[in-house]
Amino acid sequence: MEYVILAVVIAVIAVGAVAGLVVSGRRRKELPPKSTATITPPAAPAEPQVGEEAAPPREEPVKTVEEVELPAERAGTVEAEPEITPEQVAEAPAVEVPEPTAGRLVRLRSRLSRSQNALGKGLLTLLSRDRLDEDTWEEIEDTLITADIGVAPTQELVDRLRTRVKVLGTRTPDELRALLHEELVALIGTDSDRSLRTAKHEDGRPAVVLVVGVNGVGKTTTSGKLGRVLVADGRKVVLGAADTFRAAAADQLQTWGERVGARTVRGPEGGDPASVAFDAVKEGIAEGADTVLVDTAGRLHTKTGLMDELGKVKRVVEKHGPVDEVLLVLDATTGQNGLVQARVFAEVVEITGIVLTKLDGTAKGGIVVQVQRELGVPVKLIGLGEGADDLAPFEPAAFVDALIGD
């Protein structure tokens, strides 16, 4: 029994000790620690001691206006404004002045050298033979057909040459050249109206020119060159980039226009060509232009046929008024393929004139005759090179001169 009482007393004492320790710990946490450091009051700001700013101001004599020297007077000269070099100024591109179109074909006659050798000199060589037998006349026919003059025009020309050679009796080089020149000019024709209707109408509406043709014939380039031809003839021109289905076609045409100061109306790539053509004519009317030149699409990526789209372009443009010119661009190197293209286009739009390109790089200058016979439409312009002013109005006499040479 005594042991039990002793154990209880010991337990009570242990519990009391533990409780005292807990209370003592809590009190220690609650009381902030005593600090023995002393608080020093802030010192008064010191006076600045930087150079002359800290020193008391000194009295100095005040100078009058006459006594004060200017920087330029100290140097003895007045400094000039620095000059601005041309490289520092972004100059606007100069507008080019196109070469006059009058007599341009005469100046470009050397470009027909290949056609001249194949057609003109070949014929003169054959006609100069001592004896013009049937074999010689067959060679003359072959030369003309090879030059793409066509079978019917060739037979017509040979018959007239045979008759006139018999009548002349003698065949000096000068006589043969004059004879051949006269017959070729007659074959090409001189009674056709080869002028371009590009003058402004009496009511102030600009003339509208559509340029049509398949891609690959140089249609957009020809449109740009034609714009230069019109500017050279004194026309104010607005260009319409309606070939919206060929990448960079609008950029190419705009570059041509900027060179001669002609504005280009364009639309989004892949947009409606008829809409662009309509806007171009509308802008031409607003600006008082003489001529609106519209470059049309040569192919489409949609299910709509090219000819249907071209017919739509013409109908939409005619809401402003009738179209004055529809120029078909043909590649002279394509020969019969070019004639097939011409027939297809002629079924859709009323072609008023033909532009033959790349005549400088072909021996088939006779296509001038054949294409006119097939379509009943005159050749109005020919391309004789890649230069900006290598598009020339077609002149039959000058063309034949270039073919047969001096």
Side-chain angles (χ1 to χ4, degrees), residues 231-269:
V231 171
D233 289 339
R235 309 294 189 205
K236 181 179 180 181
V237 180
V238 171
L239 303 175
D243 187 357
T244 60
F245 294 93
R246 185 171 65 86
D251 293 336
Q252 183 181 358
L253 188 64
Q254 183 170 350
T255 300
W256 280 101
E258 290 174 349
R259 292 178 180 177
V260 293
R263 185 186 171 195
T264 302
V265 178
R266 53 189 296 178
E269 184 175 347

Side-chain angles (χ1 to χ4, degrees), residues 137 158-168:
W137 286 113
V158 169
D159 290 342
R160 293 172 63 176
L161 285 173
R162 295 181 72 162
T163 301
R164 297 197 60 181
V165 166
K166 289 180 181 179
V167 172
L168 286 175

Side-chain angles (χ1 to χ4, degrees), residues 85-153:
T85 61
E87 291 78 8
Q88 295 172 325
V89 180
E91 298 180 356
V95 176
E96 299 178 10
V97 179
E99 181 182 341
T101 58
R104 184 181 289 187
L105 183 56
V106 176
R107 297 191 295 272
L108 295 174
R109 61 183 301 173
S110 62
R111 305 290 176 84
L112 290 170
S113 59
R114 291 185 63 182
S115 296
Q116 170 184 323
N117 292 334
L119 180 59
K121 288 188 176 180
L123 290 176
L124 286 174
T125 301
L126 292 172
L127 290 172
S128 299
R129 289 182 178 178
D130 295 334
R131 183 166 177 265
L132 292 177
D133 53 15
E134 289 300 323
D135 292 338
T136 302
W137 286 113
E138 288 183 3
E139 289 185 49
I140 292 175
E141 288 184 359
D142 292 341
T143 301
L144 292 170
I145 292 175
T146 303
D148 269 349
I149 285 184
V151 176

Side-chain angles (χ1 to χ4, degrees), residues 372-384:
Q372 290 186 148
R373 291 287 185 95
E374 289 284 338
L375 301 179
V377 178
V379 173
K380 293 191 174 183
L381 296 163
I382 57 174
L384 296 168

